[in-house]
Amino acid sequence: MEIGVQVIFQSYGYPEGFSDQQVVDEEIHLSVLADELGFDALWPVEHHFEDYSFCPDNTEFLAYIGARTKRIKLATGAVILPWHTPLRVAERIAFLDSLTGGRVIFGMGRGLSRKEYEPMGIPMDESRERFDEAAPMILDALETGFVEGDGKFYPQARAAIRPKPSRSFKGRASSVAMSPDSAVQAGKLGVRMVLFSEKPYDQQYQSIDLYRQSWREAHGSEPPAPMICDFTMCHADAGRAEELAREHVGGYLASVLHHYEIASDHYKTMKGYEHYGSQVDTIKKLGFEGMYERYLGVQCWGTPEQILEKYAKRREALGPFNITGCFRYAGLPLEEAEKSMRLYAAEVMPQLRKWAAEDEKAA
């Protein structure tokens, strides 16, 4: 079981006058702390333009963090492929891996916000095709040291990746897969599936099952356990944990609804986002209060014992899984985020390590 920390660079929910520089400084502090506490991987996002999240180049951030840390894996969570050329992504990932001694996990995604697509000047309804064309080009380049393609969006004469990748990325690549078509594509590509907790796991299991079927059909083997991302609050006092979760995990949900416009009808006509369009009416019917309670119900917050109980139910429903927890979000003060990380590392991680050993023995 890999236990990671997600870094989202959010200023939404923080006091007026809270500067972008403060956001960056706090995320650096927690990223270095994650290495010291024994977390396995760090997952900074790629987002642009808004208080919701801003990290325009997670490879650049990871290069800096790689020099500040000793052992933690450095994962892009994720590079949004339609916003880049395959050549430049492959170069940056290979160079980052060279700089950091092979600590890189290459995570990719295709993006969901028209608030980011429009300033990029890239039609959002091309995202599915762009991702499906770019992803295999990049994965091949990271194995062979050469990138080439003759597709619609990225015609590329054969070019060398320098420094040449010196280690295979098989087993070190992942893709965000929050829709059924993305789950199927992750399986075809042979990369680990990454998903965010957003609805009950009996519903999310459907996408995980599609991923597993796709992997088996494409590769004739069993896929790795999925990576599941939570917004985490770990506190010794159950009442205080719930108070903080209701305010700040709920605040994060509000930022999601604002940034992605999840209840907007534009998804109904957006090519490549049919899954999201089919959910719009359900979301409108639920309303914010309904979504708020559902969202809180699937995040892992509470005392260490309560968090482990939630993980145990998830494990029973899904089988083995990996975890990435986000500890700083939606106005949560740095000191509370740090206390949460420290307690989680001291009292939750040891039990997760025991489960991982049990799963490995059973396999």
Side-chain angles (χ1 to χ4, degrees):
M1 178 182 286
E2 181 179 291
I3 307 166
V5 172
Q6 187 175 52
V7 187
I8 65 169
F9 296 85
Q10 183 165 75
S11 62
Y12 183 99
Y14 286 87
E16 186 176 352
F18 199 91
S19 72
D20 291 358
Q21 186 62 56
Q22 286 175 275
V23 174
V24 172
D25 290 345
E26 291 189 0
E27 297 292 30
I28 289 172
H29 174 78
L30 295 177
S31 297
V32 174
L33 179 64
D35 184 55
E36 296 169 358
L37 294 177
F39 285 90
D40 296 314
L42 191 71
W43 294 78
V45 298
E46 178 188 352
H47 279 296
H48 304 261
F49 313 128
E50 291 209 327
D51 290 352
Y52 168 72
S53 178
F54 46 87
C55 179
D57 190 340
N58 45 24
T59 61
E60 186 172 4
F61 178 73
L62 288 172
Y64 175 77
I65 294 298
R68 292 281 306 272
T69 56
K70 297 178 180 179
R71 39 148 297 279
I72 197 166
K73 295 176 185 176
L74 307 165
T76 55
V79 176
I80 306 304
L81 300 192
W83 301 341
H84 308 273
T85 66
L87 170 64
R88 293 294 290 131
V89 173
E91 284 186 322
R92 288 199 297 267
I93 295 298
F95 191 31
L96 178 62
D97 202 48
S98 180
L99 288 170
T100 59
R103 287 198 272 159
V104 174
I105 298 170
F106 171 47
M108 51 190 163
R110 69 181 176 112
L112 182 60
S113 174
R114 65 179 176 180
K115 294 182 178 182
E116 293 179 277
Y117 264 95
E118 288 179 356
M120 293 285 184
I122 297 170
M124 190 168 164
D125 60 6
E126 294 178 357
S127 70
R128 176 82 274 160
E129 292 178 279
R130 285 179 176 271
F131 179 93
D132 291 351
E133 184 178 326
M137 289 175 65
I138 297 164
L139 293 172
D140 288 347
L142 293 173
E143 295 303 314
T144 65
F146 294 91
V147 62
E148 57 186 327
D150 59 359
K152 173 182 176 181
F153 297 102
Y154 307 111
Q156 174 67 59
R158 182 177 171 89
I161 302 300
R162 304 295 297 274
K164 184 176 181 179
S166 59
R167 306 164 184 86
S168 174
F169 273 82
K170 294 187 183 302
R172 291 199 292 147
S174 67
S175 180
V176 177
M178 294 298 293
S179 63
D181 55 331
S182 291
V184 169
Q185 186 66 1
K188 289 179 181 178
L189 290 169
V191 300
R192 180 170 52 181
M193 177 187 194
V194 176
L195 66 159
F196 291 82
S197 297
E198 63 166 4
K199 55 189 175 183
Y201 275 89
D202 58 346
Q203 299 176 36
Q204 291 213 257
Y205 183 84
Q206 298 169 5
S207 288
I208 296 174
D209 194 43
L210 284 172
Y211 165 68
R212 290 170 174 161
Q213 292 176 25
S214 176
W215 181 293
R216 292 172 187 137
E217 291 172 4
H219 307 286
S221 60
E222 289 300 308
M227 172 67 72
I228 299 174
C229 305
D230 293 307
F231 286 81
T232 306
M233 165 46 60
C234 187
H235 200 286
D237 180 84
R240 180 60 173 158
E242 180 171 1
E243 180 184 349
L244 289 168
R246 285 193 168 275
E247 179 180 355
H248 299 288
V249 175
Y252 178 74
L253 174 61
S255 76
V256 168
L257 296 176
H258 171 76
H259 180 71
Y260 290 109
E261 306 170 282
I262 295 297
S264 170
D265 287 338
H266 77 278
Y267 287 111
K268 293 182 178 181
T269 57
M270 183 73 69
K271 182 181 177 183
Y273 294 88
E274 291 81 5
H275 169 73
Y276 297 96
S278 71
Q279 303 296 310
V280 168
D281 290 338
T282 300
I283 290 169
K284 288 180 177 180
K285 185 176 180 180
L286 272 174
F288 180 75
E289 289 302 320
M291 290 193 66
Y292 174 78
E293 292 299 332
R294 186 176 78 168
Y295 194 73
L296 277 176
V298 296
Q299 304 303 320
C300 287
W301 50 268
T303 65
E305 295 77 18
Q306 288 173 323
I307 289 173
L308 285 167
E309 183 179 350
K310 292 176 182 181
Y311 284 155
K313 290 179 180 178
R314 182 183 294 178
R315 185 176 180 227
E316 183 178 349
L318 304 180
F321 60 91
N322 302 285
I323 300 162
T324 297
C326 183
F327 291 88
R328 181 199 173 279
Y329 46 84
L332 185 69
L334 177 63
E335 56 270 23
E336 292 287 2
E338 180 170 338
K339 285 193 296 185
S340 177
M341 280 181 64
R342 289 186 181 277
L343 184 60
Y344 185 102
E347 298 191 21
V348 177
M349 282 207 296
Q351 182 59 46
L352 296 179
R353 302 294 188 203
K354 290 180 182 179
W355 290 355
E358 291 170 8
D359 291 337
E360 187 174 349
K361 186 175 181 180

